[in-house]
C-alpha cells in the first residue's frame, strides 16, 4: 500500500504556506496509524516551482522551500525506523529551464554539445519563424519555444512536452544517461527504496520529429488501438533500454529497490512493456483510474489489468486519485467528459452533490482495497477530500491554467493543503494560516482530528480497510468472479472474502455472511446503491 505525499500540501512545519519535509516527518505516525507500507514523495528537489517542483534545477539538492538534504536524510531514517519505505519522484524527461545545463545550452551556439543535451531545432519558414513541427504541449500551446541567441537575434527552437520552463532532454545523448545514473546513485546511497519515474513513456521521441495528423487530439495514444493515432513522443520502443539499465543499477544495491512507471499509455495492453522482468517493478494503472462508475466497465478493466500485468509476472496496481486528476470523491460522480489534468471549476456544468459523490468514492475505495496487487493512495483521499472547485482564478498556479488562458482549470483543485485539525489557522496545515492555495471554508468538516474520533468517518473506513487488507493478505490473493445475480452489482471473491459493490440504483439483498467492512454503515443485510461491502461467507 503506497501513499503519495505531495509535500507542498501535506504539512508545513516552518509556516511559510508551503508544506515541507519536516512537516512530513512530524506526521509519519499518522501514516503508520493509517496502515500503509510505503510513502511516495512528489518532487522536493531544487526548483523554481513553475510546475510545482516537476521542473528541477538541481536533482541532488532539496529546494529551500522544502528544507535541506539533512531534512531528507532525517525523513528517510524516521520512515525506516517505522517500517515505512520511501520512494521518491525522479523527473527524467525534462529539467527546469533554470538547470545549469539548459542555461549553458542557451549561452552556446547551435550545434554545440551543450545544445545536444536538449532538443533544439531550426524553425520552419523563410526566417525560421515557425516551430519545427505541429506538436502541442500537454499544458496547452505549442511544444516549442524560440530562443534569442547570444548575439540578440531570434534563433533555434527547443522542445518541451510540458511548460516552456521544462525543456525536454535528448535521451539519445550519453551525457543525459550518465547524469541520471549519477542522480539515482546519489539517492540510493542516501537510502531511498525506489523511484516513481515521471513521464516514463515520454523520454524518447521519434527521431524525425514528424508532424501529427491531429495535434489537438493526441491523447496518450501509442497507436496500437484502431481508434488511437500513434504519437511520436509517447511509448517509443527505445525508451525501454533506459529502464533496463536502471533496473540493473538498482540491483547492485542491497535490499529491494523499486522503479514505478508513470506511463499514461493507451491501450492498457501496452503497459506490460514497462514492467517486464528486467524493467520496472510496477506501473500505475491509469486505465483503472479512468474507468467510469459502471459495473461492466469496471469488471472489464479489472480483468484486463490482472491479465496484462500477470502476463509479465508483475503485480497489478490500482489507483483512483493523484496530484494530476480531479479527486475521486468528486470525479466519480461527474457527468460528461473530463480529460485528465483539465480540472474542473466554478463554471463546470452539472457539478455533483458532494455527499452523494463521497458515498460513491467510499464504495470505489472499498472495492479497490479488496483487489490483489498494489494500491496507491493520494494524500487527503483518506479524509474523503473533494476537489476544491471554487478556487479564485488569481489563486490558481497550475501552468495549464495560464497556458490556456483559463480555458482549462488545471490541477490546483486536487492540490489544496490538507486539513489536520477542525480549528486553527489553515486547519493545522501550519500555525500561521498561510497557504499556497486557499483552503475552502468547509474543510474543517474533513479535518483528520475529528474524523479520527468519529467511528463512521472516511478516515476510519480507510484505517479499517487497510488493516484488514493486511491481516487477510488480500494484496497477494486473486480475483474470482461470483455468478452475477444482479447486473449492476460487482461480486468478486479474494481469498475467503466476498466483495460486493452496488453500482446500480436499487438496493439488493446480501447473501448470508459476516459483514467485515462496508463503505457506509448498513441498516440491514442489504446493499444500497453506491455501496460496497466485504463479507466473510
Ligand atoms: C506529473 C505532473 C507534471 C508532469 C510534468 C507528470 O505527469 O505527474 O504533475 O506536471 O509530469 O513533469
Amino acid at each position: 500500500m503506497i501513499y503519495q505525499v505531495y509535500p507542498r500540501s501535506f504539512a508545513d512545519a516552518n509556516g511559510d504556506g508551503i508544506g515541507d519535509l519536516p512537516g512530513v516527518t512530524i506526521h509519519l505516525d499518522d501514516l503508520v496509524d493509517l496502515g500503509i507500507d510505503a510513502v511516495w514523495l512528489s518532487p522536493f528537489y531544487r526548483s523554481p516551482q513553475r510546475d510545482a517542483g516537476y521542473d528541477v534545477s538541481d536533482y541532488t539538492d532539496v529546494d529551500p522551500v522544502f528544507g535541506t538534504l539533512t531534512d531528507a536524510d532525517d525523513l528517510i531514517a524516521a520512515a525506516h525506523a517505522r517500517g515505512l519505505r520511501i520512494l521518491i519522484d525522479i523527473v527524467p524527461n525534462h529539467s527546469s529551464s533554470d538547470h545549469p545545463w539548459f542555461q549553458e545550452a542557451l549561452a552556446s551556439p547551435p550545434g554545440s554539445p551543450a545544445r545536444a543535451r536538449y532538443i533544439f531545432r531550426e524553425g520552419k519558414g523563410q526566417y525560421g519563424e515557425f516551430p519545427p513541427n505541429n506538436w502541442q504541449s500537454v499544458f496547452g500551446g505549442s511544444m516549442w519555444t524560440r530562443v534569442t541567441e547570444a548575439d540578440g537575434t531570434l534563433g533555434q527552437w527547443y522542445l518541451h512536452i510540458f511548460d516552456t520552463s521544462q525543456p525536454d532532454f535528448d535521451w539519445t545523448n550519453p551525457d543525459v544517461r550518465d547524469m541520471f545514473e549519477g542522480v539515482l546513485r546519489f539517492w540510493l546511497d542516501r537510502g531511498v527504496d525506489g523511484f516513481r519515474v515521471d513521464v516514463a513513456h515520454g523520454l524518447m521521441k521519434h527521431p524525425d520529429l514528424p508532424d501529427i495528423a491531429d495535434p489537438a487530439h493526441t491523447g496518450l495514444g501509442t497507436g496500437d488501438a484502431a481508434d488511437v493515432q500513434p504519437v511520436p513522443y509517447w511509448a517509443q520502443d527505445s525508451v525501454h533500454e533506459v529502464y533496463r539499465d536502471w533496473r540493473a543499477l538498482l540491483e547492485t544495491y542491497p535490499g529491494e529497490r523499486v522503479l514505478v512507471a508513470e506511463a499514461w499509455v493507451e491501450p492498457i495492453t501496452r503497459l506490460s512493456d514497462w514492467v517486464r522482468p528486467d524493467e520496472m517493478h510496477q506501473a500505475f494503472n491509469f486505465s483503472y483510474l479512468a474507468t467510469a462508475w459502471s459495473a461492466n466497465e469496471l469488471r472489464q478493466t479489472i480483468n484486463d489489468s490482472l491479465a496484462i500485468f500477470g502476463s509479465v509476472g508483475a503485480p497489478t496496481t490500482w489507483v483512483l486519485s493523484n496530484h494530476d486528476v480531479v479527486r475521486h470523491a468528486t470525479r466519480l460522480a461527474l457527468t460528461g467528459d473530463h480529460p485528465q489534468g483539465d480540472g474542473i471549476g466554478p463554471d463546470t456544468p452539472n457539478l455533483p452533490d458532494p455527499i452523494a459523490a463521497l458515498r460513491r468514492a467510499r464504495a470505489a475505495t472499498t472495492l479497490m482495497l479488496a483487489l490483489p496487487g498494489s494500491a496507491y493512495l493520494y494524500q487527503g483521499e483518506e479524509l474523503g477530500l473533494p476537489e476544491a472547485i471554487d478556487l479564485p482564478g488569481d489563486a490558481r498556479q497550475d501552468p495549464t491554467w495560464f497556458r490556456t488562458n483559463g480555458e482549462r482549470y488545471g490541477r490546483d483543485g486536487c492540490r489544496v493543503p490538507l486539513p489536520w485539525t477542525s480549528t486553527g489557522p489553515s486547519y493545522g496545515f501550519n500555525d500561521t494560516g498561510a497557504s499556497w492555495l486557499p483552503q475552502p471554508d468547509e474543510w474543517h468538516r474533513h479535518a483528520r482530528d475529528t474524523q479520527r474520533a468519529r467511528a463512521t468517518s472516511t478516515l476510519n473506513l480507510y484505517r479499517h480497510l487497510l488493516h484488514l487488507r493486511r491481516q487477510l493478505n488480500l494484496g497477494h490473493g486473486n480475483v474470482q468472479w461470483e455468478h452475477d445475480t444482479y447486473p449492476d452489482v460487482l461480486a468478486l471473491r479474494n481469498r475467503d472474502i466476498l466483495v460486493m459493490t452496488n453500482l446500480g440504483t436499487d438496493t439488493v439483498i446480501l447473501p448470508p455472511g459476516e459483514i467485515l467492512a462496508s463503505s457506509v454503515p448498513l441498516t440491514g443485510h442489504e446493499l444500497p446503491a453506491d455501496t460496497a461491502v466485504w463479507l466473510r461467507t
Side-chain angles (χ1 to χ4, degrees):
M1 199 59 42
I2 299 103
Y3 180 94
Q4 180 189 359
V5 166
Y6 191 67
R8 304 171 72 74
S9 302
F10 187 72
D12 175 21
N14 71 1
D16 65 355
I18 301 182
D20 43 40
L21 297 183
V24 183
T25 307
I26 290 166
H27 286 292
L28 282 178
D29 287 331
D30 292 297
L31 299 184
V32 172
D33 176 67
L34 183 61
I36 56 146
D37 305 309
V39 173
W40 145 39
L41 293 155
S42 280
F44 49 76
Y45 309 105
R46 211 171 255 279
S47 156
Q49 305 291 321
R50 296 195 188 99
D51 183 24
Y54 282 93
D55 49 322
V56 181
S57 57
D58 183 347
Y59 291 88
T60 55
D61 201 3
V62 173
D63 196 273
V65 151
F66 298 118
T68 61
L69 270 177
T70 307
D71 292 329
D73 292 341
D74 290 349
L75 170 53
I76 295 166
H80 286 167
R82 288 163 175 79
L84 295 176
R85 305 173 79 196
I86 291 280
L87 309 187
I88 63 172
D89 215 310
I90 186 105
V91 190
N93 179 67
H94 46 266
S95 69
S96 159
S97 49
D98 285 9
H99 192 283
W101 273 12
F102 192 71
Q103 289 301 313
E104 190 189 337
L106 289 181
S108 304
S112 58
R115 289 220 169 162
R117 294 172 180 142
Y118 293 90
I119 303 174
F120 279 86
R121 292 289 184 278
E122 301 301 329
K124 286 185 174 161
Q126 193 181 354
Y127 308 102
E129 68 274 35
F130 300 116
N133 67 25
N134 67 353
W135 298 0
Q136 298 290 299
S137 153
V138 169
F139 292 161
S142 172
M143 211 188 266
W144 295 91
T145 293
R146 194 170 191 187
V147 301
T148 303
E149 303 293 358
D151 63 3
T153 58
L154 283 173
Q156 290 190 304
W157 299 71
Y158 67 88
L159 180 110
H160 48 88
I161 291 186
F162 297 93
D163 188 43
T164 312
S165 63
Q166 294 166 296
D168 281 43
F169 285 115
D170 183 343
W171 268 88
T172 62
N173 186 324
D175 280 4
V176 174
R177 292 171 84 130
D178 289 351
M179 194 263 268
F180 274 95
E181 293 201 5
V183 172
L184 294 179
R185 285 184 196 285
F186 178 88
W187 291 103
L188 290 165
D189 289 340
R190 297 191 103 86
V192 303
D193 300 287
F195 303 90
R196 174 260 191 195
V197 182
D198 191 59
V199 201
H201 53 314
L203 274 47
M204 294 290 188
K205 283 77 185 172
H206 189 292
D208 303 338
L209 308 180
D211 273 346
I212 297 176
D214 183 4
H217 296 101
T218 50
L220 306 157
T222 54
D224 288 4
D227 56 344
V228 182
Q229 65 172 337
V231 179
Y233 44 88
W234 295 143
Q236 303 295 296
D237 282 340
S238 49
V239 82
H240 297 286
E241 290 162 27
V242 176
Y243 305 127
R244 291 197 187 99
D245 287 353
W246 287 14
R247 174 71 176 250
L249 190 159
L250 259 65
E251 286 184 355
T252 65
Y253 278 79
E256 197 196 0
R257 315 283 179 121
V258 298
L259 295 167
V260 182
E262 188 227 14
W264 288 88
V265 291
E266 285 171 351
I268 188 182
T269 38
R270 270 301 280 285
L271 199 53
S272 54
D273 290 356
W274 273 261
V275 286
R276 290 175 286 199
D278 58 347
E279 294 195 40
M280 304 224 192
H281 298 76
Q282 299 195 356
F284 290 97
N285 185 349
F286 293 124
S287 295
Y288 186 70
L289 183 150
T291 302
W293 187 243
S294 135
N296 280 338
E297 291 183 38
L298 270 172
R299 189 186 295 101
Q300 181 75 45
T301 304
I302 292 170
N303 279 337
D304 289 351
S305 306
L306 292 165
I308 284 157
F309 285 93
S311 69
V312 286
T316 311
T317 65
W318 313 103
V319 61
L320 287 168
S321 279
N322 66 31
H323 66 293
D324 289 329
V325 298
V326 174
R327 282 186 175 278
H328 75 276
T330 302
R331 190 189 70 239
L332 288 173
L334 284 169
T335 51
D337 191 22
H338 296 276
Q340 104 46 33
D342 277 10
I344 59 171
D347 293 334
T348 304
N350 305 324
L351 287 169
D353 164 46
I355 294 175
L358 175 60
R359 181 184 176 93
R360 195 171 271 189
R362 287 171 60 132
T365 300
T366 303
L367 166 62
M368 178 176 82
L369 292 182
L371 297 173
S374 285
Y376 286 79
L377 305 177
Y378 174 49
Q379 69 178 37
E381 66 169 270
E382 75 279 23
L383 305 176
L385 284 188
E387 186 80 355
I389 293 169
D390 287 321
L391 291 175
D394 60 4
R396 290 189 184 268
Q397 305 211 12
D398 186 346
T400 310
W401 168 256
F402 299 106
R403 290 183 65 87
T404 63
N405 295 318
E407 213 171 280
R408 288 158 56 186
Y409 286 107
R411 303 159 296 173
D412 292 313
C414 65
R415 299 176 171 181
V416 173
L418 296 188
W420 291 87
T421 55
S422 57
T423 56
S426 65
Y427 308 121
F429 172 59
N430 56 24
D431 51 20
T432 60
S435 178
W436 72 278
L437 284 173
Q439 296 167 299
D441 290 342
E442 71 276 9
W443 275 29
H444 63 92
R445 283 197 220 117
H446 301 290
R448 190 172 303 256
D449 61 349
T450 45
Q451 290 210 38
R452 187 71 174 77
R454 203 172 62 244
T456 58
S457 67
T458 304
L459 177 61
N460 281 326
L461 172 66
Y462 271 74
R463 289 181 61 246
H464 182 59
L465 294 171
L466 289 168
H467 286 92
L468 215 48
R469 176 182 173 84
R470 185 179 284 168
Q471 190 189 325
L472 300 169
N473 202 13
L474 297 182
H476 292 99
N478 57 51
V479 166
Q480 285 169 312
W481 294 102
E482 289 283 300
H483 200 65
D484 291 332
T485 322
Y486 307 102
D488 290 329
V489 175
L490 280 186
L492 64 89
R493 194 175 285 280
N494 182 358
R495 300 194 181 270
D496 64 343
I497 305 303
L498 175 63
V499 183
M500 293 183 64
T501 310
N502 187 350
L503 296 100
T505 48
D506 299 331
T507 297
V508 302
I509 306 294
L510 286 171
E514 180 196 357
I515 296 177
L516 298 184
S518 62
S519 58
V520 289
L522 300 180
T523 45
H525 204 73
E526 39 185 42
L527 192 65
D530 288 343
T531 306
V533 69
W534 294 8
L535 281 174
R536 197 187 326 253
T537 57

